[in-house]
Amino acid sequence: MTDPVQNPPTQFNYRPDIDGLRAIAVLAVMAFHLGFAPLEGGFLGVDIFFVISGYLITSIIAPKMMKGTFSFKTFYLRRIRRLIPPALVTIAVTFMAAAFILDPSDMVAMAKSAIAATFSVSNILFFTETGYWDARSELKPLLHTWSLGVEEQFYLFWPLLVLALWKLMPRRNLGWAFAVVTLIGVFVSEWMLRANPSAAFYLLPARVFEFAIGACFALIGTSVFWKKISTKTIRSILGWASLIVLLATIWFYKGYTPFPGLNGLLPCLATAGLLLSGAGKSALPGLNFLLSNRLAVWTGRLSYSLYLVHWPVVSLMRYEVGLELGKRHQLFAAALIFVLTLMLYYGVERRVSARTGQASNQTGSQKTPKYGRFAIGTGISAVALSAVFAHAALNSGWTWRVHDLSFTPEQVRQEKARRFSTFVNTCTTFNFPDGPNCRRDAKINVLVIGNSHEPDGFNFFEAGYGRDPDLQFIRFEQTNRCKIGKEKGRIIAQGTRKLCQERVDKLADQAIVNQIQVIVYSANRPFEANKYFTLALLNQMKKLNPDLKLISMGGYINNQTPCFRIINETGNTASCMTSETISYTPLDDKDGTLFQAFMDSTDYYLDKGDLLCGEDIPASCESQASNRKPYTYDEHHLSLEFAQYAGRKFADENPNLLRELAGLSPR
């Protein structure tokens, strides 16, 4: 990169094409969140915003640093003015709406996220909640503020980094320094993606390279080299190619595409290419029309308010009508989002900018105090709002809002935790066969393996067969915590959870596998395509030990919303079995992509529909244990009592199943 100091950039001028690019970004995100299937890559809109931010912030602060006029105080105060007031209004209004809609348990989570979002750390909160299946992500009204947290954290450190590089390095190397930051950022992002996908998604270190790409291209656009080669033809080719690549990634990337990491490079470079193509004196006719027409520019100016508003509307609507929004709900949500966006933009964002912007027309001695007073007022407002949010969080989500609760938030928390209460003093894969709590004298070693439903399978079989002294149950400790994958023909654990790879490697050790007689596979939606690597692990074990028997447990009822909430509203567990609330039934097992592949390796298929449903309709399925405890408290994980009840019922019908599979005589 050519030394930008030789041709220092002037004050950054407004570019309407950037607002047009913002319009593409926010509309892509909105379409993705509303559930328009062809735009599964709409999540890339957030990454477009990150690249734009890196480009603009560097374009703004670099010239001032070169001239010695940059002020950290003014920079941060302006960011507060620009970003915080609309965000605080959105958080407050969303909280008020949630108070009328959310169950107390979800209101507690909402209050915590409101506090975190107020102080720009919600990305860290949401990361700590992953497995973020503690509540469905679609039902967290402030989930989208994770990206605002990342961006505002970027604003905190980036000027400091730019200044440090500016002071410490020869001027001509500044561009190359940003390039190195980008490369390191890509490496860190890919490493985090492989080690902990949730951390890569939510946390700033995995996203730094996206901002840095924008910064690099900002410096390229002011370089002598670019000014020499940037003919109208070159810029046009770059712009159209970048736009095509960007739209292609939005179209072809899927929700399951590993991201960010290396997969983030293509859309980010395409975004930066579009920004660079617009860095010239002459307009590009075709691109100028697409990105700089009045509608695109107007939408781009609305983009921040639109982004703030859209997700709370979608999330709270899903809370009321279910996860799958029909066309009617999608259209209604879009209309409501549009109205609320206009209210937020013209009523708050634009008005605040106009009022505080008057300070910009004053002399320097008058400007900072006005920004300062505004920042102080904003800080007081944030603290006051957080006090209200904290009160709701500390008082069980304001249970006074709902009369005759069947389950309070604390009861739900306790009941969910009880699923794991049977794990005390049990043998695990890592300890097997000689470690603590593992018995050498067991004649039948039964490995229970699966995703977050592994505890359900363990509780099921332990209750039904645990009194047999010849049996020992061994827990893998959940495949979803280890992110099972395959590399060069070897089964690997991609997660960072302690001892994951050691446990996976144990199941590739023939001496260990030969000591296991039965595997119980227990997972939610057990035969869907995302279970491919689990199936590969099971097949590997059966290949090592041809006498090993596999029991594949079928799935059970999945609800679109937590069952405890439905019970709180209706007073009975049967309401969790209505077609309006259900998203999966045992009948759906056989429609799974991998059903036949699993059956080819399975020695006994345990169909929960046959066991617990009288007919082939959800309403006939059992919804509570014999002690009237519901079958689940969330959307699908079995309660301890129901798993035990079902296990005992199954064992009564098949008292010697495990012994027969292991080749032992009945008791």
Side-chain angles (χ1 to χ4, degrees):
M1 295 180 190
T2 306
D3 176 13
V5 178
Q6 294 175 1
N7 287 275
T10 58
Q11 182 67 34
F12 185 81
N13 295 318
Y14 171 71
R15 282 175 46 185
D17 62 301
I18 294 180
D19 272 331
L21 190 52
R22 286 190 177 113
I24 293 175
V26 76
L27 292 177
V29 172
M30 182 175 162
F32 172 63
H33 285 157
L34 279 171
F36 294 119
L39 287 179
E40 289 186 52
F43 63 87
L44 293 173
V46 170
D47 306 278
I48 296 173
F49 281 125
F50 288 165
V51 176
I52 292 174
S53 292
Y55 183 91
L56 289 178
I57 292 302
T58 304
S59 297
I60 290 169
I61 66 178
K64 294 182 178 180
M65 286 187 177
M66 294 173 192
K67 295 176 182 178
T69 60
F70 178 75
S71 165
F72 282 99
K73 183 176 182 180
T74 300
F75 174 81
Y76 291 127
L77 289 176
R78 283 181 173 175
R79 300 286 79 72
I80 291 172
R81 180 203 75 186
R82 168 75 176 89
L83 299 173
I84 303 303
L88 285 182
V89 171
T90 301
I91 294 166
V93 172
T94 302
F95 182 83
M96 288 188 289
F100 289 95
I101 297 173
L102 298 189
D103 183 276
S105 292
D106 295 313
M107 194 64 188
V108 171
M110 168 67 196
K112 292 178 181 177
S113 65
I115 296 171
T118 298
F119 296 103
S120 303
V121 292
S122 60
N123 60 318
I124 299 172
L125 172 69
F126 293 130
F127 164 64
T128 63
E129 293 178 349
T130 54
Y132 65 39
W133 309 114
D134 64 319
R136 291 291 294 262
S137 61
E138 297 94 331
L139 303 179
K140 296 180 178 181
L142 294 176
L143 182 69
H144 67 317
T145 62
W146 74 267
S147 65
L148 305 182
V150 169
E151 186 149 349
E152 286 153 19
Q153 291 156 27
F154 164 77
Y155 291 148
L156 283 177
F157 93 89
W158 189 252
L160 297 171
L161 177 63
V162 174
L163 181 63
L165 293 174
W166 181 254
K167 296 289 187 182
L168 296 175
M169 303 187 66
R171 302 298 192 258
R172 65 175 54 89
N173 291 336
L174 185 60
W176 292 110
F178 283 163
V180 171
V181 170
T182 301
L183 292 174
I184 293 173
V186 172
F187 173 81
V188 170
S189 184
E190 182 67 17
W191 175 79
M192 290 179 67
L193 181 65
R194 291 171 179 266
N196 190 324
S198 295
F201 184 86
Y202 283 114
L203 301 183
L204 175 62
R207 302 282 182 167
V208 166
F209 81 93
E210 300 180 345
F211 297 98
I213 285 174
C216 285
F217 277 65
L219 293 184
I220 291 173
T222 63
S223 66
V224 173
F225 172 75
W226 177 247
K227 290 179 180 179
K228 286 181 179 179
I229 70 165
S230 61
T231 63
K232 197 170 184 179
T233 300
I234 293 292
R235 290 171 50 231
S236 183
I237 293 172
L238 174 63
W240 281 109
S242 297
L243 181 61
I244 291 170
V245 170
L246 181 61
L247 295 179
T249 56
I250 292 173
W251 184 266
F252 289 110
Y253 276 32
K254 304 299 180 184
Y256 55 78
T257 300
F259 203 84
L262 292 173
N263 286 327
L265 277 175
L266 198 58
C268 290
L269 289 172
T271 300
L274 273 170
L275 291 167
L276 183 60
S277 71
K281 294 180 180 180
S282 57
L284 303 177
L287 277 177
N288 187 65
F289 173 77
L290 285 176
L291 298 178
S292 302
N293 66 78
R294 289 185 178 182
L295 180 59
V297 170
W298 181 67
T299 304
R301 289 178 176 175
L302 293 175
S303 61
Y304 183 50
S305 290
L306 181 54
Y307 182 80
L308 286 171
V309 162
H310 86 283
W311 180 252
V313 171
V314 173
S315 180
L316 292 174
M317 181 172 288
R318 282 188 170 133
Y319 198 95
E320 285 290 281
V321 305
L323 294 177
E324 300 298 327
L325 297 181
K327 294 297 182 186
R328 178 168 56 89
H329 292 125
Q330 288 174 328
L331 291 174
F332 177 78
L336 181 58
I337 289 167
F338 178 71
V339 171
L340 294 176
T341 295
L342 294 180
M343 293 173 65
L344 183 63
Y345 178 71
Y346 289 105
V348 179
E349 183 180 354
R350 188 172 177 180
R351 179 171 295 184
V352 168
S353 295
R355 287 184 176 180
T356 55
Q358 293 172 0
S360 300
N361 298 322
Q362 306 296 325
T363 62
S365 61
Q366 293 172 308
K367 185 193 308 183
T368 300
K370 286 194 174 184
Y371 278 132
R373 288 198 298 270
F374 182 82
I376 292 171
T378 301
I380 292 172
S381 299
V383 171
L385 285 171
S386 295
V388 177
F389 305 152
H391 187 272
L394 295 172
N395 288 274
S396 301
W398 290 344
T399 54
W400 50 264
R401 298 175 299 118
V402 184
H403 299 292
D404 302 322
L405 278 177
S406 298
F407 299 106
T408 66
E410 181 59 23
Q411 287 175 316
V412 172
R413 187 193 66 77
Q414 291 176 355
E415 292 294 346
K416 288 181 178 180
R418 292 185 66 242
R419 293 178 62 235
F420 307 96
S421 63
T422 57
F423 290 178
V424 179
N425 299 326
T426 57
C427 185
T428 66
T429 303
F430 185 76
N431 293 327
F432 181 76
D434 299 316
N437 304 316
C438 296
R439 291 169 32 225
R440 266 293 193 179
D441 62 340
K443 297 179 180 178
I444 307 174
N445 288 306
V446 181
L447 172 66
V448 185
I449 187 171
N451 59 15
S452 61
H453 280 237
E454 180 186 305
D456 300 342
F458 181 89
N459 292 332
F460 181 104
F461 274 90
E462 199 278 335
Y465 298 94
R467 288 172 293 180
D468 187 336
D470 292 330
L471 284 171
Q472 173 170 244
F473 292 101
I474 307 160
R475 295 185 295 112
F476 177 81
E477 297 180 283
Q478 303 182 40
T479 56
N480 56 311
R481 294 183 173 183
C482 289
K483 192 174 173 56
I484 302 297
K486 200 170 186 179
E487 189 174 89
K488 297 180 181 179
R490 174 176 175 248
I491 304 296
I492 61 170
Q494 297 173 321
T496 56
R497 298 260 182 176
K498 186 179 180 181
L499 308 180
C500 275
Q501 189 60 53
E502 289 90 338
R503 283 184 278 148
V504 170
D505 289 343
K506 271 207 163 185
L507 299 185
D509 184 337
Q510 183 148 19
I512 297 295
V513 176
N514 283 343
Q515 297 180 64
I516 300 173
Q517 285 72 44
V518 179
I519 304 173
V520 172
Y521 167 60
S522 175
N524 188 42
R525 305 190 182 212
F527 310 118
E528 293 193 346
N530 61 352
K531 310 303 191 300
Y532 174 81
F533 293 116
T534 301
L535 176 60
L537 176 61
L538 298 174
N539 284 336
Q540 173 184 272
M541 294 179 66
K542 293 202 72 174
K543 185 176 180 179
L544 291 171
N545 180 2
D547 294 328
L548 189 58
K549 305 301 181 183
L550 172 62
I551 300 174
S552 291
M553 299 184 72
Y556 200 52
I557 302 295
N558 281 210
N559 278 288
Q560 297 192 55
T561 55
C563 187
F564 81 84
R565 187 195 310 155
I566 298 172
I567 297 171
N568 278 342
E569 294 174 356
T570 64
N572 65 83
T573 58
S575 299
C576 297
M577 297 292 176
T578 62
S579 58
E580 292 79 10
T581 66
I582 288 176
S583 60
Y584 188 91
T585 76
L587 292 175
D588 295 322
D589 278 356
K590 296 177 182 178
D591 294 328
T593 304
L594 297 177
F595 178 78
Q596 190 54 54
F598 266 96
M599 292 304 101
D600 291 343
S601 299
T602 295
D603 297 283
Y604 189 95
Y605 169 46
L606 199 163
D607 189 335
K608 291 178 185 169
D610 287 346
L611 177 67
L612 299 167
C613 303
E615 303 174 27
D616 289 341
I617 55 174
S620 70
C621 296
E622 297 189 47
S623 62
Q624 60 186 22
S626 54
N627 63 355
R628 303 181 64 83
K629 290 292 182 73
Y631 81 95
T632 184
Y633 290 92
D634 54 27
E635 292 92 342
H636 47 76
H637 296 101
L638 299 185
S639 65
L640 172 63
E641 287 80 6
F642 189 82
Q644 292 176 329
Y645 161 74
R648 285 190 287 267
K649 181 177 182 179
F650 179 78
D652 287 343
E653 298 175 6
N654 305 274
N656 294 299
L657 174 66
L658 295 180
R659 298 184 69 87
E660 290 170 359
L661 288 174
L664 297 184
S665 59
R667 288 183 64 196

